[in-house]
Amino acid sequence: MAPAEMVPPASPTSATDSVHTLELGMLRGEGEAGRGWSNGDIRPELFPATRNGRLQLYSSQRRLLHLASGWSRIGTGTDGKEASELTHAVSSSNRGAAIVEDSSSEALAVRSLIAQLCEQFYRFGWATGTGGGVSIRVGGPAENRPWRVFVAPSGIQKEDMIGDDVFELDMDCNIVHPPKTPNLRLSACTPLWFVVYKHRPTARAVIHTHSMYAQLATMLDPTESRKVLSITHLEMLKGVGHHGYDDVLEIPIIDNRPSEDLLAEQLELAINAYPKSNAVLVRRHGLYCWGDSWEQAKTQCESFDYLFQAAVEMARLGLDPGAPPAHGTYREDDEVEPKAKRQNIGFNGLGRCDNAVDLVSNKLPILPRDGKILLLDIEGCTTAISFVKDTLFPYVLSHLDDYISRLDPMEFGLLAEALHSDLVNAKVAETVDTSDPAAMVRLMVQKDLKVASLKRMQGQMWRSGYEKGDLKGHVYPDFVHMVNWMQSHGVNIYIYSSGSVEAQKLLFGYSEEGDLTAGIEGHFDITTSGNKKDPSSYSKIARDIGVSPSQIVFCSDLEDELQAARLAGIGHTVMTIRPGNAPLTANGRKEYVSAFSLLQLCGV
Ligand code: ZN
C-alpha cells in the first residue's frame, strides 16, 4: 500500500461521500496544520487537533481514521449506512485511559487502531505477505473491569485490514466478539499474545513482526546455538526500555517451530529468564515485542528494529555489536562520573542509597536467570575492603598486649612456639626477640606473612572482639535485602573468601545488621577449596555444593577470580563495584557484567 499522500484521490464510492471530499482537500494540503479537520458533518470536538490533518481513507464504508496526534486519537466519521456506529468514537488509548462513551465505541476505536497499526507495519516491511500481527488490550484490574483483548486475524493482507476484521477475546482466549467480516480465523500467534499478557501484567500491546533485520539478527552466530543477542553502546538502546547507552541489551532468541502456537512454551521461558528485555526474537522468523501502552510497544519495536539493523550491519563490517567500543573517548568520561550516572538508574551504587526503594523500584535485574546458587566474595562485594584493612587488622595490633597478658603460661608457651616456628620457616626469625610473642606478631604483620599461627591468633582475638561487641562486621545495606530476596526465590547463598571460614561466620554472625548467618547456606575458604585464582577451586566448590558450575553465579571484585571461575564453567560472573575497590581495567569492564549493588542480582 502506498503512503497516505499517494492514495489516489479518484473514484469516490458514492456521490454522498462528503468525507471523501474532505479527504481530497486535506491531501492537497488545504488543511490547516494542527487544527485537524471538519467539514461540518463531523462534530469538531470529536476530532481534536491533528498534526498534519493527514487522512487515510479507503472508502466511506470502510474506515476513517486520522493518523496524527501521535496516533493516540482515533475518530470515526459518519456515513449513511452505519451512522449508528460511526458517529462518534474518540479514544485516547494511551495507557488505557480511554475516553469513550461506551464499550462499543471503545471497541470500535481499538479495532480501528489495530487495523491502522497493521497497515503501518506493512509499510515498514514488518508484515508483508500477511505475516506479523498486533494485539491490544484495554480495561483490566486498574479500571475495575475485565480485560478486553483485541487481536488481528490470520492470513489477511495487513495493509488492507479494517477494524471489522479484528477479533475481541477475553483473558481466557474465548472469542467475545468475532469480526464482522465473515470467514476470518484467529491467528496462530493468538496463544503467544496471551503468554506475554500473562507474564507481563502491565503490557497492553504486543506486536509481532517478520522484519528482515530481526530474523537476520538471529543468525549472526553461524552455529545458531546462541540463545541471546547482545547489543551495547548504541544510542537507540534508550528506546527499548530499561537500558541506557552503555548497558548491554540482551534479547533472548528462541528457535522456530513448524507452527507458531508451538512457540508458546519457549516464549514463556524466555520472557521469565530475561526480565529486562521487552522483546523475544524467534530464529529465522521475527520478533515479539510489547509495551505498557500501544505507543510504547510501537516505539520500542521501531527501536529494536533499528538496533537489529545496526547489529546485522556491524557484523557485516566485522564488528561485534555486543562489545563496547575499544577506542573513543566516551569511556574516559564515564570514569569521571560513574556515580551520578548509576544513581540515576535507581541503584544505590556509591554512597547515598535507599534499599527499600531500590528493591521496590528495581526494574533492572541482571541475574539470576538459571542461577540456583549465588557464590559471593566478601571484601569489595558484601563488605567494604576497608573493614578488613582499617578495622580488623588494627584491632589485633591495638589489643595485642592485652590479649597476651591474659594468656596462661601454657597458652603463652604454645603461642610463642608456633609463632617462632613460622618465623623460622619464613627465614626471618633471627631479626626478632623470639621470647616476645607481641614482637613476633608485629613483625609478621609488618612483613605481611600469611602464616597459620598468626591467623589462628587473629581468629581468636576477633572472636572475643565480636563477642564483646568491640567489633561489628560491615555489610553493605543492600546485602540484607538481597539475602531476603534470594531466600524467597529459592536461590542459596554461599561465601567464598580468602578469610577463614571461622572469620566469615563471625563477620556475618555479628554484623552491623545483626546475625545474618541463617541466610547463608555454606562457607568456603582457601583451606577448604584452594586458591581463589585457580579454576579447579571453583570446580571443587560446585562439586561440594552438588550442582553443575553453570548453575552458579559468582560475584567478586577481582578480575583474576572471575577469570578463574569462568574457566571452571561458572555460569555467570559478576564484577562488584564498591567504593574503595581497585579501578576496573579496560578488559575487566569489557568482559564482565558489573554490579554496583547486590540488588541488581534480584529479579522483579
Ligand atoms: Zn510470525
Side-chain angles (χ1 to χ4, degrees):
M1 189 68 223
E5 289 77 4
M6 293 167 65
V7 171
S11 64
T13 50
S14 79
T16 59
D17 190 353
S18 57
V19 171
H20 206 254
T21 315
L22 166 74
E23 184 216 4
L24 302 186
M26 302 310 294
L27 292 176
R28 290 190 208 104
E30 291 163 19
E32 194 180 320
R35 183 174 160 272
W37 48 272
S38 163
N39 65 356
D41 292 339
I42 300 159
R43 297 198 321 239
E45 67 273 20
L46 293 177
F47 299 97
T50 68
R51 211 161 286 152
N52 306 309
R54 281 194 303 143
L55 298 178
Q56 178 64 35
L57 186 63
Y58 288 106
S59 81
S60 58
Q61 276 77 41
R62 303 197 79 180
R63 66 176 179 163
L64 172 58
L65 299 174
H66 48 106
L67 296 170
S69 272
W71 293 61
S72 60
R73 292 187 188 281
I74 304 302
T76 57
T78 58
D79 98 85
K81 284 188 183 158
E82 293 188 274
S84 63
E85 194 175 69
L86 294 176
T87 19
H88 46 266
V90 176
S91 171
S92 165
S93 63
N94 191 359
R95 288 166 193 88
I99 306 164
V100 288
E101 293 174 22
D102 53 57
S103 74
S104 75
S105 56
E106 177 181 65
L108 192 65
V110 178
R111 286 164 185 264
S112 305
L113 176 59
I114 286 179
Q116 192 160 305
L117 288 170
C118 283
E119 181 193 338
Q120 186 64 30
F121 297 157
Y122 170 84
R123 289 190 196 150
F124 291 164
W126 295 353
T128 53
T130 78
V134 176
S135 168
I136 292 174
R137 63 174 174 173
V138 295
E143 293 172 34
N144 215 4
R145 59 190 179 120
W147 287 110
R148 309 178 76 184
V149 183
F150 295 86
V151 301
S154 166
I156 196 162
Q157 296 187 73
K158 293 296 186 293
E159 74 282 20
D160 196 37
M161 253 182 76
I162 58 172
D164 287 349
D165 301 336
V166 172
F167 283 86
E168 181 182 343
L169 310 174
D170 63 18
M171 274 301 283
D172 296 321
C173 212
N174 302 312
I175 297 173
V176 178
H177 291 295
K180 283 193 180 170
T181 314
N183 304 322
L184 290 178
R185 282 179 298 113
L186 272 175
S187 155
C189 315
T190 306
L192 305 181
W193 310 130
F194 284 86
V195 169
V196 176
Y197 288 141
K198 193 170 136 218
H199 292 277
R200 290 285 184 272
T202 59
R204 284 175 172 272
V206 190
I207 298 168
H208 173 47
T209 81
H210 285 187
S211 152
M212 181 60 71
Y213 284 112
Q215 62 155 335
L216 288 176
T218 66
M219 295 183 256
L220 296 185
D221 160 31
T223 67
E224 300 194 20
S225 57
R226 231 181 266 164
K227 296 210 171 339
V228 65
L229 171 68
S230 301
I231 302 176
T232 189
H233 284 74
L234 291 176
E235 180 66 12
M236 283 293 269
L237 288 168
K238 293 175 186 169
V240 298
H242 305 329
H243 291 80
Y245 167 75
D246 57 352
D247 289 319
V248 180
L249 168 68
E250 290 189 308
I251 308 136
I253 304 174
I254 61 177
D255 285 316
N256 203 23
R257 288 288 177 272
S259 89
E260 201 128 6
D261 48 341
L262 299 177
L263 293 169
E265 194 180 327
Q266 289 187 77
L267 183 69
E268 184 169 357
L269 290 171
I271 286 177
N272 290 328
Y274 289 83
K276 257 178 91 174
S277 180
N278 283 325
V280 173
L281 281 162
V282 187
R283 207 183 306 278
R284 292 174 177 264
H285 179 160
L287 178 75
Y288 281 86
C289 170
W290 52 87
D292 292 351
S293 64
W294 66 266
E295 292 96 330
Q296 197 188 76
K298 174 175 173 286
T299 55
Q300 286 182 173
C301 201
E302 290 163 9
S303 302
F304 275 115
D305 209 64
Y306 177 100
L307 292 167
F308 298 146
Q309 179 169 6
V312 168
E313 297 295 343
M314 284 174 81
R316 236 200 281 269
L317 293 171
L319 301 169
D320 177 0
H327 306 289
T329 58
Y330 171 78
R331 299 159 76 76
E332 289 158 26
D333 298 343
D334 190 33
E335 298 284 354
V336 180
E337 229 182 346
K339 189 189 291 189
K341 263 171 55 73
R342 297 296 168 179
Q343 279 179 350
N344 279 345
I345 60 168
F347 290 114
N348 58 340
L350 314 173
R352 212 159 42 89
C353 61
D354 181 342
N355 285 293
V357 169
D358 272 3
L359 200 62
V360 172
S361 64
N362 172 11
K363 296 276 191 272
L364 301 173
I366 53 179
L367 292 168
R369 300 225 167 101
D370 358 276
K372 299 273 182 291
I373 301 293
L374 184 57
L375 184 63
L376 298 171
D377 179 27
I378 293 181
E379 285 178 56
C381 176
T382 64
T383 299
I385 286 186
S386 61
F387 174 67
V388 177
K389 199 167 64 103
D390 300 337
T391 304
L392 284 185
F393 284 126
Y395 181 85
V396 169
L397 290 181
S398 63
H399 290 72
L400 189 57
D401 293 329
D402 181 51
Y403 174 80
I404 290 171
S405 71
R406 287 166 196 270
L407 296 175
D408 65 34
M410 164 116 141
E411 290 165 336
F412 184 94
L414 286 173
L415 175 64
E417 194 184 315
L419 291 168
H420 181 227
S421 135
D422 279 337
L423 285 175
V424 168
N425 287 337
K427 301 191 170 57
V428 288
E430 62 284 359
T431 63
V432 67
D433 175 2
T434 53
S435 68
D436 178 359
M440 288 191 282
V441 167
R442 289 196 183 90
L443 177 68
M444 286 172 165
V445 171
Q446 185 202 332
K447 299 228 174 250
D448 195 24
L449 297 183
K450 306 214 185 288
V451 292
S453 57
L454 175 63
K455 287 200 157 190
R456 201 162 47 240
M457 191 202 72
Q458 284 171 327
Q460 284 159 1
M461 290 184 67
W462 287 332
R463 170 169 289 283
S464 93
Y466 280 117
E467 283 170 354
K468 282 190 288 184
D470 289 351
L471 291 170
K472 284 208 182 301
H474 174 262
V475 290
Y476 284 107
D478 46 67
F479 180 75
V480 180
H481 296 274
M482 184 278 295
V483 169
N484 292 339
W485 190 93
M486 295 296 166
Q487 281 191 308
S488 63
H489 287 77
V491 178
N492 288 332
I493 299 174
Y494 289 80
I495 302 289
Y496 179 31
S497 160
S498 45
S500 68
V501 167
E502 153 117 26
Q504 297 173 19
K505 287 181 175 168
L506 288 171
L507 192 156
F508 293 110
Y510 297 91
S511 88
E512 289 169 359
E513 305 287 331
D515 182 356
L516 304 174
T517 48
I520 298 168
E521 205 65 27
H523 296 261
F524 301 98
D525 65 15
I526 51 181
T527 62
T528 64
S529 313
N531 191 308
K532 293 188 76 185
K533 296 175 183 171
D534 180 351
S536 66
S537 306
Y538 298 86
S539 312
K540 182 170 184 326
I541 287 174
R543 273 198 309 279
D544 290 348
I545 298 175
V547 293
S548 113
S550 66
Q551 291 175 300
I552 298 182
V553 177
F554 175 57
C555 303
S556 166
D557 60 321
L558 295 179
E559 208 178 316
D560 291 348
E561 297 179 3
L562 295 172
Q563 165 77 4
R566 191 179 270 187
L567 288 172
I570 294 293
H572 300 280
T573 44
V574 179
M575 172 90 72
T576 50
I577 297 178
R578 297 290 199 180
N581 285 8
L584 280 186
T585 62
N587 185 59
R589 221 174 220 291
K590 184 171 148 228
E591 286 294 318
Y592 301 100
V593 173
S594 54
F596 287 74
S597 158
L598 294 176
L599 291 177
Q600 279 171 273
L601 303 172
C602 305
V604 280

